[in-house]
Amino acid sequence: MTLMTMLGAVQLGAAAACVVVVLIPMVMAGWHLSRNRILLYCGVFFITLAVCLHLTPYFPSVSDFVTSVSSVVVFDHRSTCINLVNDIAWEVKPNVSLHHFNPTHNVSSSLNLYEKRWDWSKSPKHDACDFQKLSKSDASDLLNGSWVVVAGDSQARFFTLSLLNLILGPQAKRMGSVRADLFKRHSDYSILVHEIGMKLDFVWAPYVVNLTNSMMGFKTKKSYPDVMVMGAGLWHMLHVNNASNYDFALRMLKSSVVSLLPLTASASIKSPHLFWLGMPMLINGMLNTQEKREKMSDRIWHAYDRALGDSRLLRQTGGPLVLLDIQSMTWNCGPRCTSDGMHYDLVIYEAAVQVMLNALLIESHQSL
């Protein structure tokens, strides 16, 4: 018997075995299943599923398609949640625990007349994002070993204070000295939280050009923070009062940020998480000088807000920075959350800190 004859016999035997062992039982099973439609449909479904699962590894294009669809779904969820993370609802009501108000107290005392509570808006989409108010322990774990830079004007100072309040605890003995040092007029501030190895730098940068210079400084030193929160505009509005000039400065800032990001895309250096601390809503009638009321009118404020959108600095307009929407927070909290129409209750910045932390969880694919 030749080799070809032997091979033919083997193939014929394999085919016969396939008919006897596989096809005949399947036909008999099909005949029985056909008598019960539910069993038939279930059988067809599971057989089809099994075949697909076993064949998928042999078709790379199918595997790639499944992987790409999964990636798109994950990315879409992240993108949706980043867009929703600033959606905060406020409840502001008289503080019944205060029996009287002493007008000789400092200006922040008037803010204590109202109790302010906030939470994320409620909807199926918001619930799916699982936004949470991080505790001191949660925030410490998230920022453990990080270098955080906050740069800007007085808004950025309040944000820095709120972040340290959370990390250190508002009753911590050192918070008194932290507050005193942080609010030294027009100065920088640095602190190392040894317990979690977090370094925090506040950079006094009241103008956008100061922020641009800071970014270029990081690039020159090839040293980048893990998290950077920046924002400026109020000083420019008051002292320069030119929305076109502000637009140009924002575009220069965007260019410096974009030029920095490719350097941080290597495996050895992670790209920093970048946030823009938006300007608050200004309540013109409450501003404490005539100059402010004239130069920081609603018309001028909206011109500056349009300049921010036109600069495409923010993620929502295709830029690199995630917005911390102080505008919507202050608008929704309202005049009972400010004593001078410009500087708001610390609870605003506490909410902004929680928004940032939740955005970090989303961006870094982490959960509590």
Side-chain angles (χ1 to χ4, degrees), residues 217-283:
F218 295 136
K219 185 174 182 179
T220 300
K221 297 176 182 177
K222 294 182 171 58
S223 178
Y224 312 99
D226 300 293
V227 179
M228 183 166 187
V229 180
M230 65 184 89
L234 293 178
W235 274 59
H236 194 285
M237 190 184 302
L238 180 60
H239 299 293
V240 180
N241 205 240
N242 187 317
S244 297
N245 182 276
Y246 183 64
D247 185 346
F248 177 78
L250 289 171
R251 293 176 189 271
M252 294 298 293
L253 173 61
K254 180 190 174 183
S255 297
S256 69
V257 173
V258 170
S259 69
L260 175 147
L261 290 177
L263 295 177
T264 63
S266 67
S268 59
I269 305 177
K270 295 181 180 179
S271 177
H273 297 280
L274 301 170
F275 297 90
W276 180 259
L277 192 64
M279 288 191 299
M281 284 298 300
L282 300 178
I283 303 176

Side-chain angles (χ1 to χ4, degrees), residues 93-109:
K93 59 184 181 181
N95 193 340
V96 295
S97 64
L98 293 180
H99 298 290
H100 66 277
F101 168 60
N102 187 345
T104 63
H105 289 174
N106 58 45
V107 292
S108 64
S109 297

Side-chain angles (χ1 to χ4, degrees), residues 111-128:
L111 300 178
N112 295 331
L113 289 172
Y114 299 97
E115 182 181 359
K116 308 163 191 77
R117 296 179 180 178
W118 67 273
D119 205 344
W120 280 276
S121 300
K122 301 299 181 184
S123 76
K125 286 186 177 181
H126 291 87
D127 294 343

Side-chain angles (χ1 to χ4, degrees), residues 171-191:
Q171 306 304 322
K173 293 181 179 179
R174 61 194 299 190
M175 277 308 299
S177 61
V178 165
R179 181 186 290 269
D181 293 339
L182 178 61
F183 281 85
K184 287 181 179 177
R185 187 175 177 81
H186 304 170
S187 61
D188 298 342
Y189 173 78
S190 295
I191 184 173

